[in-house]
Amino acid sequence: MGNIISMKNFIIERGLLFLVSILLVYLSSLVVSTKELNSSLLDQHYNKIEKTASDTLAVIAIDDDSIAYYESWPWPRSIYAEIIQKLNNYTIKKLAFDIDFSSKSSVVQDLIFSKSLKTADYPIALSAYISESNGQQPTQNTPINQLAENAAIVNANVATTIAGTVYTYSPTAINSRISIASFLADRVDKLKQDFYIDYSYNLGSIPVYSVKDLLLNKIPLPALRNKNILIGATSIALGDMFNMPVNGRKSGVFVHALAYETAIRGQQFTKTTNIHQALITLIVILLLIVSFNRRNFLLLLISSISIFLALYFFSIYLHHYHFLITELASSFISLITTTVFLFLYAFYIRTRSFYRQLNIKNYHKTISDQLIKSSSHGIIVTNRSGDILIINNTAKNIFSLESSNSNIRHFFERGLQLIAACSTSGQQKTSYHKIRHVNSKGITFDLEVFVDKSYYTFNKMQGIFKKNHELYNIIIIDETEKNQALEDFSRSKIELLDIKYNDPLTKIANRYSFDSYLKKSLEKEHAEQLSVVLLSLDSLQDINFIYGGLIGDSIICQVAGQLACSVGENGKVFTFSRETFAIVYNGLSEAQVLRNMQKSFFLFTNPLSVVNQQVLMSVSLGMAMAPKHAHTPSLLTSCAETALNHAHTSQAKNYAIYDEKLAVRLKQRTALKNELRRAINNREFLLHYQPQHCLANGTLVGLEGLLRWNDPVHGLRYPDEFIEAAEEFGFMGEIGELVLSLGCNDGAQLPEHIKIALNVSPVQFLESDVAELCEIYLHKSGLAPHRLELEITESMLMEDIGRVCEILQLIKNLGVSIAMDDFGTGYSSLQYLTQLPFDKLKIDRSFSMKIGLSQQDDDIIISIIQLGRAANKTILAEGIESERSVNFLKAHGCEMGQGYFFGKPQPLAYFLKN
């Protein structure tokens, strides 16, 4: 009968739990959105298995290399015609362009492209784009009629979620026009509705070639034969980018490519219905309720984790092998909600039971403590749980107590451990311990503690019922004074050793320890592979300057702690210098050490938090290995320092592994720095001059000074050999001042009608007082100010326009002319053309050299000339190499010219003779 009642109560309890769980899950579904969680789970499914593409599609990419090769964008349509002609040689199946041809080009270009579409040996599709406006009818951007007549028109739109991610693909647009993937896959008859793109395909298995390589015949014929070809933009600068669940942000052409791979597969993804999801949710709740045991929290946790893993991995199996997408967000929410509810319910039941038993237990403490209260040693009597029954005044003084506490753990953290040690000591009832304790007043005691176990028999109802209780008698002997003398003697020795072997700031091993450790490791008879990694805190000086030395010291300590925690068992961290740490690895391969270097580098991608300051630390790492790179400690350390120096100067990455080429490059760089310093001190620089002529009458009106280095060892050296290094070493200010001095002195020797034009570097212009230097060297040389012209580039205008205007006006006030060099290649010239005090515009040679190549190029240079004349500026064209160019420029109002047609750069003596 009792079993039947218990079963009935069990069924009623589980039924109520089931109903409450369903109610809580329903309330949770009203609060929590499952859409983002389902998307995240779907993303993980795609990541689990990687598939190889079908090898029936190839992508021809309009990449950065191709755009740079043809210099301008958009391309002339003759280039696309050439692409079609090139592909005729490959015997391809189909070709689709993911490019907008909805706007007209020149008549000739459109005709060439149209003709190539018509005569192609294979079907070609051009893309149409549907743009939606808020509350208005969608508009369609289709190829111009001249092109559309000779090609199929396909839809290129891609649907994204609110977060901008592409999951599904439409085989047809709203106007029933087929998509790019449908056209290439020949699946129009079978693909009737939107389908999920399978991102499990490895994007790298789809062959991608550059348009540039195609047009330069660098793609072998078998690579494209009998394949479908998709042409589209992959350059980030063109902006056709979409978020993918697996590959991150990629160009739209790869979305079409993966959609193609999905489309040619015989089976597409399907998704579970709401009924299926509700059924799974009910099963999850039912399994948890059935397996629930309110006395075992661990069983509840194991059940929850097991159900979670089963659902998760089964959904992965269905996704990859049966193409079924199971949206489990609601099931997981129900799993978490039900688990938390059952946990709280079990906790409530157990808490109620605990307090009930606690109230039943009522010990009648009758033990007399008169004798032990007067003892000179501390005495405490507790039960097995640590509840204090008796404590004398000596113990209270040691532990700084005003009155007896209920349990020994309240004032003595080792108390329960001592009781437990005595309880498990077997036949030996007494246990001995030596401990150090600091009480609440900050006083330290050295204690000898004896714990003895005994039993107390509790009689009830005249001895009919008896119960034995364990008692623990703790005797505490104060040995503080005796031990203090011994500690004072040994402390001085320890402190001396600590100073010798450890860094006083970070408290980790110092450079002396590093050298000793390295030496001992390399001297071992069977020494394992040894690696030394040096990590430099590059931004420490800036941090000290901005935040102060105390913050800098705190950061050094924090970095030391992070490195010590991250190196693992095979590594040891040392303080190499104030700004550098050394890590020594034993027995790791080069690949393992490289992974550890990357791990150390990524420690500092997040800001360090110091005194409410978020400080971002940049680091560099260099590594050398023994015996691969060196056999001795000094050479191995030197190799690691060489690698670290290379990482400092490298713009590509912040870490480097030593090789002999690094040492050679470092020596060359150091040698070049010394040579440049010598050249500046010895004034080894000189100027060669390129003539500037009046186009109207051909007379020489000016000379542009071009810097040369008359190296006594290597001979004449040109700017491309040393300017970049001079900027890196910080020498441009001195070199610029030397150029100004040379130009003024040379100009004073030339006829008065000839101007001297000198280039000013951005570093010199913004970091030195150019106006003051002009005034000094004009005065020293005697050169009239109007005969000096300074050339600045448009890039300087992007730095600080207010500062630039101020400097230019100071130069103008001296009477010195100002020319804008390389006009037309920058981004700010039109905005500031009328605002800044320029006298002359120098048309960049990239425009002049295209004169006569096309009407478009001619129109551009004519527009530049007209723009300059409208702004009342003198116009000079660079890069003139033919009489035809001279006549063209002269006819359209250009006043001055410079280039090889008039003469190459020559020393000053050449012009003094002539």
Side-chain angles (χ1 to χ4, degrees):
M1 185 67 180
N3 291 335
I4 296 175
I5 294 175
S6 297
M7 179 60 67
K8 181 178 179 181
N9 292 335
F10 175 83
I11 294 174
I12 293 173
E13 179 191 40
R14 298 308 163 100
L16 290 174
L17 291 175
F18 183 73
L19 293 176
V20 173
S21 298
I22 292 176
L23 177 61
L24 291 175
V25 169
Y26 172 73
L27 295 176
S28 299
S29 66
L30 298 178
V31 177
V32 180
S33 174
T34 60
K35 192 170 184 179
E36 292 184 4
L37 180 57
N38 282 324
S39 298
S40 177
L41 291 171
L42 182 58
D43 294 349
Q44 292 183 23
H45 289 175
Y46 286 131
N47 271 305
K48 295 302 178 184
I49 295 180
E50 189 176 270
K51 304 174 185 175
T52 303
S54 63
D55 198 30
T56 61
L57 177 73
V59 174
I60 307 296
I62 303 175
D63 54 10
D64 292 326
D65 196 20
S66 300
I67 293 175
Y69 182 76
Y70 289 101
E71 295 187 353
S72 63
W73 182 263
W75 288 341
R77 289 181 177 168
S78 57
I79 293 178
Y80 301 111
E82 186 179 354
I83 291 172
I84 294 173
Q85 294 170 5
K86 293 287 184 181
L87 290 175
N88 280 331
N89 301 326
Y90 286 87
T91 318
I92 66 171
K93 289 184 178 181
K94 288 185 177 183
L95 170 63
F97 283 93
D98 184 14
I99 301 170
D100 189 358
F101 293 111
S102 61
S103 60
K104 291 185 177 181
S105 179
S106 66
V107 175
V108 174
Q109 292 291 325
D110 288 341
L111 181 60
I112 293 173
F113 188 28
S114 175
K115 184 176 179 181
S116 66
L117 291 172
K118 185 175 182 180
T119 58
D121 297 336
Y122 45 83
I124 300 176
L126 302 181
S127 293
Y129 301 86
I130 300 174
S131 59
E132 297 184 7
S133 302
N134 293 332
Q136 298 180 5
Q137 189 70 19
T139 58
Q140 300 185 42
N141 296 326
T142 59
I144 60 175
N145 293 334
Q146 188 176 4
L147 303 179
E149 292 173 352
N150 300 305
I153 307 302
V154 295
N155 181 55
N157 287 80
V158 175
T160 63
T161 64
I162 297 177
T165 305
V166 179
Y167 284 103
T168 60
Y169 191 85
S170 299
T172 57
I174 58 177
N175 54 7
S176 300
R177 182 181 291 121
I178 65 172
S179 65
I180 291 177
S182 300
F183 169 78
L184 293 175
D186 282 332
R187 304 286 292 179
V188 179
D189 55 333
K190 296 183 179 180
L191 298 174
K192 301 299 184 182
Q193 59 186 3
D194 294 0
F195 59 88
Y196 279 87
I197 299 174
D198 192 348
Y199 286 104
S200 302
Y201 286 106
N202 181 6
L203 199 58
S205 65
I206 300 176
V208 179
Y209 305 97
S210 172
V211 169
K212 174 185 173 182
D213 291 342
L214 174 66
L215 297 181
L216 294 179
N217 299 317
K218 292 184 178 180
I219 303 176
L221 291 176
L224 302 179
R225 181 175 292 127
N226 294 325
K227 290 186 179 181
N228 294 306
I229 306 300
L230 177 56
I231 298 179
T234 61
S235 172
I236 297 176
L238 298 182
D240 182 27
M241 308 299 288
F242 297 92
N243 291 331
M244 294 186 181
V246 174
N247 302 296
R249 193 163 177 80
K250 293 291 183 181
S251 173
V253 69
F254 293 115
V255 176
H256 295 297
L258 291 176
Y260 165 84
E261 295 294 340
T262 308
I264 62 174
R265 188 175 64 201
Q267 186 176 0
Q268 303 303 324
F269 285 110
T270 57
K271 191 169 68 172
T272 55
T273 64
N274 293 334
I275 296 176
H276 292 146
Q277 296 172 25
L279 183 60
I280 294 173
T281 299
L282 290 176
I283 292 173
V284 167
I285 297 173
L286 186 61
L287 288 173
L288 283 174
I289 296 298
V290 171
S291 62
F292 172 61
N293 185 338
R294 62 189 184 184
R295 294 183 178 84
N296 194 333
F297 291 113
L298 182 60
L299 179 61
L300 175 61
L301 182 61
I302 293 174
S303 300
S304 300
I305 294 174
S306 301
I307 293 172
F308 173 82
L309 293 177
L311 287 175
Y312 182 72
F313 287 107
F314 186 62
S315 67
I316 294 175
Y317 169 77
L318 294 177
H319 178 95
H320 286 289
Y321 296 102
H322 295 279
F323 304 105
L324 177 63
I325 297 175
T326 53
E327 294 188 335
L328 296 178
S330 57
S331 300
F332 289 156
I333 290 173
S334 67
L335 177 65
I336 295 171
T337 302
T338 305
T339 300
V340 172
F341 164 64
L342 293 177
F343 177 84
L344 294 175
Y345 174 72
F347 182 78
Y348 164 74
I349 295 297
R350 295 188 64 175
T351 302
R352 187 179 64 178
S353 175
F354 170 77
Y355 281 109
R356 182 183 299 161
Q357 293 180 10
L358 188 63
N359 291 331
I360 294 173
K361 293 179 180 180
N362 184 13
Y363 294 103
H364 298 283
K365 299 179 181 181
T366 60
I367 301 175
S368 175
D369 58 356
Q370 187 62 39
L371 292 175
I372 62 177
K373 283 184 179 180
S374 59
S375 174
S376 60
H377 300 313
I379 298 177
I380 303 173
V381 179
T382 74
N383 58 17
R384 187 186 184 110
S385 301
D387 298 322
I388 295 175
L389 305 177
I390 298 173
I391 183 170
N392 67 356
N393 292 328
T394 304
K396 289 181 180 181
N397 292 333
I398 292 174
F399 299 113
S400 186
L401 293 178
E402 298 297 332
S403 60
S404 300
N405 280 26
S406 62
N407 193 287
I408 194 170
R409 68 172 178 268
H410 292 161
F411 63 95
F412 185 27
E413 60 181 8
R414 293 288 304 278
L416 289 178
Q417 297 177 14
L418 301 179
I419 293 173
C422 181
S423 177
T424 57
S425 60
Q427 297 298 326
Q428 183 181 357
K429 295 182 179 181
T430 303
S431 62
Y432 169 75
H433 309 272
K434 295 186 72 172
I435 62 174
R436 173 167 288 185
H437 175 72
V438 180
N439 66 17
S440 60
K441 294 182 179 180
I443 303 174
T444 302
F445 293 90
D446 292 323
L447 306 175
E448 290 185 341
V449 180
F450 297 86
V451 184
D452 181 68
K453 179 170 62 175
S454 60
Y455 296 92
Y456 166 70
T457 302
F458 175 73
N459 295 306
K460 189 176 182 181
M461 296 180 65
Q462 298 180 351
I464 297 176
F465 299 103
K466 295 183 179 181
K467 188 172 184 180
N468 292 330
H469 297 275
E470 291 182 4
L471 298 180
Y472 293 87
N473 185 22
I474 303 172
I475 301 174
I476 303 160
I477 302 175
D478 185 3
E479 296 286 339
T480 305
E481 292 183 2
K482 182 181 76 174
N483 294 337
Q484 186 65 46
L486 296 174
E487 287 185 3
D488 291 340
F489 176 75
S490 61
R491 186 178 296 114
S492 58
K493 287 186 177 181
I494 295 173
E495 289 175 352
L496 289 174
L497 290 175
D498 183 73
I499 293 173
K500 181 178 180 180
Y501 293 103
N502 297 318
D503 178 67
L505 176 62
T506 62
K507 303 303 179 185
I508 65 173
N510 58 14
R511 178 65 184 270
Y512 177 86
S513 299
F514 167 80
D515 293 335
S516 301
Y517 181 81
L518 207 58
K519 182 179 179 182
K520 291 179 182 178
S521 299
L522 291 174
E523 287 176 351
K524 290 181 180 179
E525 183 176 353
H526 301 289
E528 297 178 301
Q529 195 171 38
L530 196 72
S531 303
V532 175
V533 176
L534 296 182
L535 184 146
S536 172
L537 308 181
D538 295 341
S539 55
L540 183 61
Q541 290 184 358
D542 293 336
I543 291 171
N544 285 333
F545 178 77
I546 296 171
Y547 300 101
L550 291 178
I551 296 294
D553 290 345
S554 298
I555 286 178
I556 292 174
C557 294
Q558 190 174 147
V559 170
Q562 290 187 359
L563 289 177
C565 293
S566 66
V567 295
E569 298 178 354
N570 298 94
K572 184 173 178 61
V573 181
F574 301 84
T575 299
F576 191 78
S577 66
R578 176 170 173 78
E579 299 180 1
T580 307
F581 291 92
I583 308 171
V584 180
Y585 291 103
N586 278 292
L588 297 184
S589 66
E590 183 172 336
Q592 290 173 318
V593 176
L594 181 59
R595 285 195 294 271
N596 285 341
M597 289 174 67
Q598 293 171 339
K599 179 181 177 183
S600 298
F601 176 78
F602 285 120
L603 282 175
F604 306 101
T605 54
N606 294 321
L608 301 174
S609 179
V610 182
V611 193
N612 297 324
Q613 299 284 347
Q614 296 295 317
V615 181
L616 191 62
M617 172 63 69
S618 61
V619 299
S620 300
L621 297 98
M623 187 269 281
M625 302 184 71
K628 179 178 180 181
H629 300 137
H631 296 81
T632 65
S634 59
L635 287 178
L636 185 60
T637 303
S638 177
C639 291
E641 289 178 306
T642 299
L644 180 63
N645 287 333
H646 177 73
H648 273 307
T649 58
S650 174
Q651 297 179 353
K653 55 185 180 180
N654 295 84
Y655 63 91
I657 301 174
Y658 174 82
D659 62 34
E660 292 184 2
K661 294 180 181 179
L662 286 182
V664 172
R665 283 198 294 269
L666 186 61
K667 290 179 181 178
Q668 291 174 345
R669 183 174 176 272
T670 304
L672 179 58
K673 182 176 183 180
N674 295 332
E675 289 170 358
L676 277 171
R677 171 48 61 195
R678 183 207 67 216
I680 293 172
N681 294 337
N682 298 341
R683 298 178 68 87
E684 295 174 5
F685 294 98
L686 55 90
L687 294 177
H688 283 190
Y689 295 91
Q690 186 170 30
Q692 298 175 341
H693 285 257
C694 175
L695 297 183
N697 52 30
T699 59
L700 177 67
V701 293
L703 298 174
E704 179 182 359
L706 303 174
L707 186 62
R708 301 290 185 265
W709 177 6
N710 189 17
D711 191 335
V713 179
H714 302 287
L716 195 65
R717 302 175 74 170
Y718 290 84
D720 56 351
E721 297 180 57
F722 60 87
I723 286 296
E724 184 176 349
E727 290 177 343
E728 180 183 350
F729 300 143
F731 293 158
M732 280 309 299
E734 296 173 84
I735 293 176
E737 183 176 352
L738 185 59
V739 168
L740 194 57
S741 172
L742 290 170
C744 291
N745 290 333
D746 291 347
Q749 304 176 52
L750 292 166
E752 293 185 356
H753 70 280
I754 296 178
K755 270 191 173 185
I756 293 295
L758 302 176
N759 290 283
V760 181
S761 73
V763 175
Q764 180 189 10
F765 187 81
L766 294 174
E767 295 184 4
S768 62
D769 193 340
V770 179
E772 182 179 359
L773 292 175
C774 287
E775 186 175 7
I776 292 172
Y777 290 110
L778 285 172
H779 177 73
K780 285 185 177 181
S781 64
L783 181 69
H786 72 274
R787 294 184 58 207
L788 177 63
E789 182 175 85
L790 299 185
E791 296 184 0
I792 71 169
T793 60
E794 291 185 72
S795 61
M796 297 182 190
L797 304 180
M798 304 300 292
E799 298 290 336
D800 183 352
I801 187 61
R803 176 66 177 153
V804 170
C805 287
E806 180 182 350
I807 297 173
L808 291 179
Q809 193 58 54
L810 291 173
I811 295 172
K812 286 287 293 181
N813 292 341
L814 296 174
V816 177
S817 302
I818 300 171
M820 182 187 288
D821 198 11
D822 301 334
F823 180 73
T825 61
Y827 300 93
S828 61
S829 57
L830 297 181
Q831 180 180 358
Y832 301 113
L833 186 59
T834 59
Q835 298 180 21
L836 299 177
F838 294 109
D839 302 288
K840 181 186 294 181
L841 299 181
K842 297 188 69 175
I843 301 175
D844 187 74
R845 64 191 307 273
S846 61
F847 296 99
S848 304
M849 296 181 69
K850 293 181 181 179
I851 292 175
L853 296 182
S854 69
Q855 184 62 44
Q856 184 179 13
D857 292 328
D858 292 347
D859 291 341
I860 290 173
I861 197 167
I862 291 170
S863 300
I864 294 175
I865 294 171
Q866 292 175 348
L867 181 64
R869 290 176 64 85
N872 197 24
K873 311 296 182 185
T874 301
I875 311 299
L876 182 146
E878 296 178 299
I880 299 176
E881 296 184 2
S882 66
E883 186 174 357
R884 177 182 179 183
S885 298
V886 172
N887 294 334
F888 176 89
L889 292 167
K890 181 167 58 176
H892 290 91
C894 183
E895 298 150 89
M896 300 174 65
Q898 175 181 340
Y900 284 178
F901 177 81
F902 300 107
K904 295 183 178 180
Q906 301 288 348
L908 177 67
Y910 173 87
F911 297 97
L912 293 176
K913 290 179 182 179
N914 300 313

